Amino acid sequence: MDVLSKFLDFLLTNYQSKHTVNSYFMDVCQFIEYKKTYIVSEQDINAYILFLSKSKKSPLTIKRKLSALSVFYDFLKRSGIYNFNLSGIVRPKSPKSLPKFLDIDETIVFLEKINSLRDKAIISLLYSSALRVSELVNLNIEDINFSNKTIVITRKGNKQMGVPVSPKTIDILKNYIGDRINGPIFLNKSGHRLTTRSIENIVKKYARKSLLKDISPHTLRHSRATHLLNNGMDLRILQRFLGHSSILATQVYTHLSLQDLIKAYDAFHPLNKND
């Protein structure tokens, strides 16, 4: 029985997922076909990574193939066939996906299509103050300063800070709260505080209805941050507004802004227009 047959038996014995067995076996077969042998060095593996990269394989695909090779060479070592360790091989980093966000027109349409006063207050506040959904559900009426148009929220690490609220959102909150003077701001039909899941369902319901999109409350936070940055807000001020402990977390919005710029450039460049 050759090495690949033994390896396939090993996979079938140790992995329940047929998909994993097939993927790992095919990845190893492709590598051996590329190298013509399983006797390798770190230089050989790095050359293979470069080959895959030049072949336009994604970082995720390359990482999966390296995982398959790690299992294969661990199997060879345990079986006393060949001793080689991939632990020194540097895996490619998977690119972080940029957060979804709505453009200004979509945001306006989204807010205008909400017919429930409570839901309008929820979505307006999520967007206006770029709140995390956990920060919103924990808000009490006592946390609102109507005259200063601010709210006090509890950020990560139990840190409290004041956050500005748009005048329009303050008016919506006033109308929704009515005569209540304390307790949770946002209530369900039973008079209890809304849950995170409830808020997520509310946002998704209106987004599907008005935008035909599936978004989350966090999309509104990303949207607000992107709109503020595009309109000239300093990155350091945006960092404080969002409650990011590191400026690195805030810099993702510069990439979003650049994407907008590229799209606008492509759309209005004269050479891109049809005659």
Side-chain angles (χ1 to χ4, degrees):
M1 183 180 288
D2 63 18
V3 169
L4 284 176
S5 296
K6 290 179 181 177
F7 179 57
L8 180 56
D9 285 343
F10 168 81
L11 290 174
L12 291 169
T13 302
N14 291 276
Y15 292 86
Q16 293 183 343
S17 169
K18 289 183 179 180
H19 175 74
T20 300
V21 170
N22 291 335
S23 295
Y24 277 15
F25 185 68
M26 289 303 299
D27 286 340
V28 170
C29 287
Q30 288 169 5
F31 172 73
I32 291 179
E33 183 180 351
Y34 162 84
K35 189 69 180 63
K36 308 304 181 188
T37 180
Y38 59 80
I39 309 298
V40 295
S41 64
E42 282 194 11
Q43 186 176 353
D44 292 324
I45 302 296
N46 287 326
Y48 186 57
I49 293 172
L50 183 60
F51 165 75
L52 292 172
S53 181
K54 287 182 176 179
S55 302
K56 307 297 184 184
K57 302 297 183 186
S58 71
L60 283 176
T61 298
I62 296 173
K63 286 177 74 174
R64 190 202 70 219
K65 289 180 179 295
L66 290 175
S67 295
L69 290 177
S70 293
V71 172
F72 176 62
Y73 282 103
D74 183 60
F75 155 74
L76 293 181
K77 182 178 179 180
R78 290 168 181 245
S79 303
I81 299 172
Y82 181 66
N83 190 355
F84 178 74
N85 195 335
L86 268 74
S87 61
I89 304 298
V90 178
R91 267 68 169 172
K93 291 183 178 179
S94 301
K96 290 185 177 179
S97 58
L98 294 176
K100 295 179 182 178
F101 68 100
L102 305 177
D103 62 33
I104 292 290
D105 289 339
E106 287 178 313
T107 306
I108 292 171
V109 169
F110 186 38
L111 291 170
E112 286 181 347
K113 295 291 184 179
I114 303 168
N115 47 28
S116 159
L117 187 56
R118 182 202 65 181
D119 297 347
K120 197 175 192 70
I122 287 170
I123 292 173
S124 296
L125 188 54
L126 281 170
Y127 172 74
S128 167
S129 301
L131 298 184
R132 299 179 177 92
V133 67
S134 58
E135 296 164 351
L136 181 120
V137 297
N138 290 318
L139 279 173
N140 295 315
I141 295 171
E142 306 93 286
D143 298 324
I144 307 175
N145 188 322
F146 287 104
S147 58
N148 287 342
K149 298 180 178 61
T150 59
I151 54 172
V152 176
I153 60 172
T154 303
R155 294 286 195 195
K156 289 181 177 179
N158 264 348
K159 295 178 181 177
Q160 287 196 323
M161 67 174 292
V163 176
V165 183
S166 72
K168 188 172 183 178
T169 302
I170 283 289
D171 289 340
I172 296 170
L173 283 169
K174 280 182 182 177
N175 290 332
Y176 166 62
I177 292 169
D179 296 332
R180 290 188 289 137
I181 58 174
N182 56 39
I185 296 179
F186 299 110
L187 306 173
N188 60 23
K189 292 179 180 179
S190 302
H192 299 120
R193 188 187 298 272
L194 281 175
T195 64
T196 299
R197 178 61 63 85
S198 297
I199 300 293
E200 290 171 349
N201 289 338
I202 288 167
V203 171
K204 286 180 181 295
K205 179 182 75 173
Y206 287 105
R208 288 168 182 160
K209 184 177 178 180
S210 61
L211 302 175
L212 303 179
K213 283 187 174 183
D214 190 10
I215 69 170
S216 70
H218 223 61
T219 306
L220 297 171
R221 174 175 163 86
H222 293 317
S223 301
R224 182 60 165 165
T226 305
H227 299 162
L228 289 171
L229 190 63
N230 285 346
N231 281 280
M233 177 176 276
D234 181 82
L235 197 63
R236 289 286 179 185
I237 296 174
L238 182 61
Q239 176 192 0
R240 191 172 66 180
F241 176 61
L242 295 174
H244 288 159
S245 57
S246 168
I247 192 71
L248 295 175
T250 317
Q251 282 178 332
V252 66
Y253 297 104
T254 64
H255 299 306
L256 293 174
S257 300
L258 180 59
Q259 281 194 334
D260 276 350
L261 179 60
I262 291 170
K263 286 179 182 177
Y265 177 84
D266 287 342
F268 292 103
H269 196 286
L271 295 180
N272 289 342
K273 294 180 179 179
N274 295 322
D275 292 332

